[in-house]
Amino acid sequence: MGKVHEVLDGRLRSFIEAQPVFFVATAPSGDGGHVNVSPKGLGDTFVVVDERTVAYLDLTASGAETIAHVRQNGRITVMFCSFDREPNIVRLHGTGRVVGLYDDDFAAWAARFPPNAAARAVIVVDVERISDSCGYSLPLLSLDAERDLLTPNMERRGADGVRDYRRLKNRTSIDGLPAFDDDPDPAP
């Protein structure tokens, strides 16, 4: 059965750090709007900062729902699932903040992760509730390899191409909320 924990202790931290994928859930405030659940991966893009703080490197992709929702209301849940022999599900409920690429403290937060040409932000979560549950119904899966597609795609685009892509795909959420419109406009 499920259990609520006071802090991210050594056992929980070890479990979290061993998972190759995690899921992020957010939603806009008010009536309507879409709940967003995003799978995240790539090694070394998630860190446990301390007993009640976690962060992950947010990469440029086809949408920016998490950024839009976190900037609007801060609500975020991060979930980790075990797909190996020892079942477990860990959920971190909290309040997030976006440390964007052009923010003064981005370099300090980004230094926790390997450099990545696709980086657009670090999402920092102040964890308010930590729980785990059995995960008995989850299938057993094996990890063959990480996909090596996103980062090389962004590297091929170059810095200007990545900014152009974000301007095209990341300015607003699917519900029309402001998302990642942080890139400076190109020089005339």
Side-chain angles (χ1 to χ4, degrees):
M1 290 316 250
K3 181 177 178 185
V4 175
H5 303 269
E6 289 298 315
V7 297
L8 288 165
D9 62 18
R11 183 187 67 81
L12 289 169
R13 183 180 190 140
S14 294
F15 172 78
I16 287 169
E17 291 173 345
Q19 303 316 306
V21 65
F22 60 98
F23 302 86
V24 176
T26 59
S29 298
D31 294 335
H34 293 82
V35 174
N36 185 64
V37 179
S38 293
K40 306 288 184 185
L42 288 184
D44 300 322
T45 58
F46 190 93
V47 295
V48 176
V49 177
D50 62 36
E51 293 179 331
R52 302 214 41 106
T53 310
V54 298
Y56 72 88
L57 188 64
D58 185 69
L59 304 175
T60 299
S62 59
E65 301 308 301
T66 300
I67 289 176
H69 297 159
V70 167
R71 283 184 169 167
Q72 185 198 44
N73 60 43
R75 296 180 305 163
I76 189 168
T77 299
V78 183
M79 184 178 76
F80 299 85
C81 302
S82 170
F83 297 106
D84 60 19
R85 284 275 169 217
E86 297 210 21
N88 196 13
I89 300 169
V90 172
R91 290 178 182 87
L92 310 176
H93 300 263
T95 302
R97 67 184 183 278
V98 178
V99 181
L101 185 59
Y102 304 104
D103 292 347
D104 291 340
D105 53 347
F106 177 79
W109 280 101
R112 298 171 184 270
F113 310 97
N116 191 304
R120 68 180 170 200
V122 174
I123 306 297
V124 180
V125 181
D126 296 320
V127 180
E128 298 157 2
R129 185 177 192 273
I130 303 161
S131 65
D132 68 350
S133 55
C134 67
Y136 287 173
S137 66
L138 295 178
L140 293 173
L141 300 172
S142 62
L143 175 67
D144 294 333
E146 288 189 352
R147 291 187 199 275
D148 190 21
L149 298 172
L150 178 70
T151 303
N153 176 289
M154 293 300 159
E155 288 171 345
R156 282 189 302 276
R157 291 173 188 273
D160 290 340
V162 173
R163 283 189 293 271
D164 291 344
Y165 183 84
R166 283 195 298 257
R167 281 188 206 100
L168 178 66
K169 300 277 191 179
N170 295 168
R171 284 187 166 182
T172 60
S173 74
I174 58 176
D175 296 317
L177 296 172
F180 192 87
D181 194 14
D182 302 10
D183 289 306
D185 287 326

